[in-house]
Amino acid sequence: MFRKIVHSLVCLLLVMTAGAVNVNAAEAKATGMFFIEKLFKKEGLRFQVTVTEIDNPKYDSPVYHVNTIVTNISRKPITYTTGHCYGVTNRLEAHASGDSWELPYPETEPACPPVIQEKILKPGRTIEQDEYFRTDELPDDLTPDYFQLNSSVRILVGLEDKERKEEFVKMQTQFLAGLALHPDEIELQAESSELPKSYYELKVTGKASNNDIKRVTIQVFNTVITLRLDSKSGEFSTKKKVKAKGPSLQSGVLEVTYKDGTKHIYNIPIGNSSN
């Protein structure tokens, strides 16, 4: 979570960066991106969540934009219930030294009527929503160890003419401030040097620390590079010449695929070794 997915995410990041200005017109800008995709085959749902960190002067602290897409990947309609504005319940928390703080919505978030509704999600259809979470109410001296996003959908299981059971389909996501790579997952250094005729030489080294990681790729411009992991140490190192498709090479899209099919995608900076 390939080429089509990553290309879409690059485009999505550009769209979200522009859309993030709506939170506050005072030069808000996206400073990082994290994406996770996870399949729940038994329940027939696919979760896709994109988190963008926005440097927003209105709050003098980052705002997290969470875009959630839940798709019915089964062949049957799925009934889900909602008692608030959103079909997917998202709770974003900051964790530090054993304590946690739930992040609030912006003050302009509309109030939601506490009415429980049943809705039908047809095969191939999606629930999609955008939410913003503020960090300005965290203690001034707090440096979160990590952020945790808890996402869930309540579905009804069983025949319609009988009493149906409510089940929670849950996904838990953790990420670091700045949406940086987690060292327990993967460590990576990427730098480039400019070559003649609009080419760059890209050098990527690092280590995949999690044994459940199956595949790691990095995309720069239109080139997708598979990083070959050492089966014992998890280390990787590659050097590749890529064709430029823009004015400069400043970032890439890193995709980490796990053995269970879960995908993590990061927008990562690329240093310039020519300077």
Side-chain angles (χ1 to χ4, degrees):
M1 143 293 282
F2 160 75
R3 288 177 173 82
K4 290 184 178 180
I5 293 177
V6 171
H7 180 266
S8 299
L9 281 164
V10 175
C11 297
L12 177 63
L13 178 62
L14 295 175
V15 172
M16 289 173 62
T17 301
V21 178
N22 294 331
V23 179
N24 178 39
E27 300 181 358
K29 62 179 181 178
T31 59
M33 183 270 286
F34 170 78
F35 170 88
I36 181 172
E37 176 180 292
K38 188 173 180 65
L39 296 178
F40 294 88
K41 294 182 180 180
K42 179 182 176 182
E43 294 81 2
L45 295 175
R46 179 179 66 216
F47 280 58
Q48 294 173 300
V49 177
T50 305
V51 182
T52 308
E53 184 179 83
I54 302 169
D55 181 12
N56 196 296
K58 177 179 179 181
Y59 299 111
D60 196 30
S61 61
V63 172
Y64 286 101
H65 173 201
V66 177
N67 171 265
T68 308
I69 301 174
V70 175
T71 305
N72 181 352
I73 58 173
S74 72
R75 297 181 179 179
K76 298 180 179 180
I78 294 175
T79 302
Y80 67 99
T81 63
T82 175
H84 54 89
C85 291
Y86 301 108
V88 183
T89 300
N90 283 319
R91 296 288 183 267
L92 184 55
E93 301 169 341
H95 288 253
S97 302
D99 291 327
S100 64
W101 295 261
E102 184 172 332
L103 303 187
Y105 286 129
E107 301 92 334
T108 55
E109 183 76 10
C112 297
V115 178
I116 296 178
Q117 296 179 320
E118 290 188 11
K119 296 185 178 181
I120 303 295
L121 187 63
K122 296 180 179 179
R125 297 296 180 89
T126 62
I127 308 169
E128 182 171 4
Q129 62 196 49
D130 290 285
E131 298 165 87
Y132 294 88
F133 297 90
R134 297 157 30 213
T135 61
D136 59 297
E137 292 188 2
L138 294 177
D140 293 337
D141 57 347
L142 178 70
T143 301
D145 297 328
Y146 61 92
F147 291 92
Q148 181 169 296
L149 178 66
N150 298 304
S151 306
S152 64
V153 176
R154 294 181 293 180
I155 63 174
L156 297 179
V157 180
L159 300 176
E160 290 188 22
D161 57 347
K162 296 183 179 180
E163 185 176 354
R164 292 180 292 179
K165 182 176 65 174
E166 186 176 66
E167 289 187 1
F168 281 81
V169 185
K170 302 178 182 179
M171 184 179 73
Q172 188 177 92
T173 306
Q174 293 183 357
F175 56 87
L176 302 182
L179 302 175
L181 294 177
H182 200 297
D184 291 341
E185 178 180 29
I186 188 169
E187 299 176 65
L188 180 143
Q189 300 81 40
E191 60 180 27
S192 67
S193 55
E194 195 167 355
L195 301 175
K197 298 182 179 180
S198 300
Y199 277 90
Y200 284 89
E201 184 178 71
L202 180 67
K203 182 179 180 181
V204 183
T205 59
K207 179 179 179 180
S209 304
N210 192 320
N211 293 330
D212 291 328
I213 292 176
K214 179 181 179 181
R215 184 169 182 259
V216 181
T217 62
I218 183 172
Q219 177 173 333
V220 292
F221 298 123
N222 292 339
T223 302
V224 178
I225 304 167
T226 298
L227 305 177
R228 303 193 181 280
L229 311 181
D230 184 274
S231 58
K232 294 183 179 180
S233 67
E235 294 179 350
F236 54 84
S237 179
T238 189
K239 188 182 291 186
K240 182 82 172 182
K241 187 168 72 171
V242 297
K243 178 71 172 178
K245 295 293 182 180
S248 62
L249 176 54
Q250 298 178 339
S251 65
V253 178
L254 181 77
E255 179 176 285
V256 181
T257 304
Y258 285 79
K259 294 176 182 178
D260 67 355
T262 299
K263 299 179 189 291
H264 290 179
I265 297 179
Y266 300 87
N267 185 53
I268 60 168
I270 297 177
N272 188 347
S273 60
S274 300
N275 296 334

